[in-house]
Amino acid sequence: MTGRKLSVAIATALFALIAAPTSFAMPLGMQVIGKANPPIGHYEFCRVYASECGPASHDPGPMTLTQDRWRTMLDINYTVNTAIQPLTDQEIYGVEERWAYPRSVGDCEDFVLLKRKMLMAKGFDPSDLLITVVLQPNGEGHAVLTVRTDRGDFVLDNMRNTVLLWSDTEYTFLKRQAADHAGRWVKLQDGRATAVSSVSR
């Protein structure tokens, strides 16, 4: 089996698992609990790319996750992860924080920006592509791209080529872009502990 056929087979198998009904009480989507301040890097990014930070023209709700869309998510996550070399803003620009579209190098926010742009070019609605700030288990901040779907919120991460449901990651979710306005941010509540507690009763 060629590499391309193997990739398609794996994507199809993963999609079948995701599409299967589940009895777990885990919330499919992240819980939004209020407004949040945007990261300074995104605030500065929006001053340069104002057209990408306005209100959504519409928000039909989480997109329907089809097999084609799932493959596109996997492909773009892998493509960007392998094309861009991870470096810090200090190493690239000599500053602590700067969000920009990467060409060959970038930090986590830059990976996210490029993936978001490429998915939008494939027809994904901007309201379903949300830059998200998380905490790693070691306490360090990190940025990932959340894709809202009817099968849950999925995470595209420059630290892994697999695409995981948010609740299957090791991160603590802090805040993300608002679905109805790309320039605004909302606070998140990680409901996994509550869900696990209710299942164990």
Side-chain angles (χ1 to χ4, degrees):
M1 184 178 289
T2 66
R4 173 63 181 164
K5 288 182 178 178
L6 181 60
S7 296
V8 170
I10 292 172
T12 301
L14 288 172
F15 181 79
L17 289 173
I18 291 166
T22 177
S23 60
F24 291 106
M26 191 70 65
L28 288 176
M30 301 173 194
Q31 304 298 305
V32 175
I33 58 172
K35 297 179 180 179
N37 292 325
I40 185 62
H42 190 250
Y43 175 80
E44 296 293 339
F45 174 84
C46 288
R47 294 179 64 182
V48 178
Y49 298 95
S51 62
E52 299 187 26
C53 298
S57 57
H58 66 293
D59 179 13
M63 73 173 188
T64 300
L65 184 60
T66 64
Q67 196 166 53
D68 284 344
R69 286 173 174 167
W70 174 245
R71 287 176 182 167
T72 298
M73 288 161 56
L74 293 178
D75 182 55
I76 286 178
N77 191 57
Y78 178 81
T79 298
V80 175
N81 285 357
T82 54
I84 305 301
Q85 178 187 352
L87 291 176
T88 67
D89 288 332
Q90 193 68 48
E91 292 170 316
I92 302 169
Y93 306 111
V95 298
E96 185 174 340
E97 189 74 0
R98 179 178 175 185
W99 292 28
Y101 286 115
R103 295 183 179 179
S104 59
V105 297
D107 71 352
C108 57
E109 296 94 355
D110 305 335
F111 280 80
V112 170
L113 290 170
L114 183 55
K115 291 173 187 179
R116 186 173 187 271
K117 183 177 183 180
M118 291 174 68
L119 286 168
M120 286 167 58
K122 291 290 187 179
F124 284 60
D125 195 294
S127 67
D128 292 322
L129 304 172
L130 307 175
I131 305 170
T132 306
V133 173
V134 301
L135 272 184
Q136 302 177 64
N138 64 8
E140 292 185 7
H142 183 47
V144 297
L145 181 65
T146 295
V147 182
R148 294 192 312 159
T149 82
D150 62 343
R151 298 304 303 171
D153 291 344
F154 287 89
V155 170
L156 277 64
D157 189 353
N158 69 296
M159 292 189 178
R160 57 169 59 93
N161 292 327
T162 52
V163 174
L164 298 177
L165 193 65
W166 73 276
S167 54
D168 290 336
T169 72
E170 70 276 21
Y171 300 135
T172 299
F173 289 78
L174 302 179
K175 60 183 178 180
R176 73 181 186 190
Q177 285 175 295
D180 62 353
H181 197 299
R184 296 175 183 168
W185 285 66
V186 293
K187 187 182 300 184
L188 300 171
Q189 177 175 291
D190 197 325
R192 283 175 288 187
T194 301
V196 169
S197 174
S198 64
V199 169
S200 63
R201 289 192 187 121

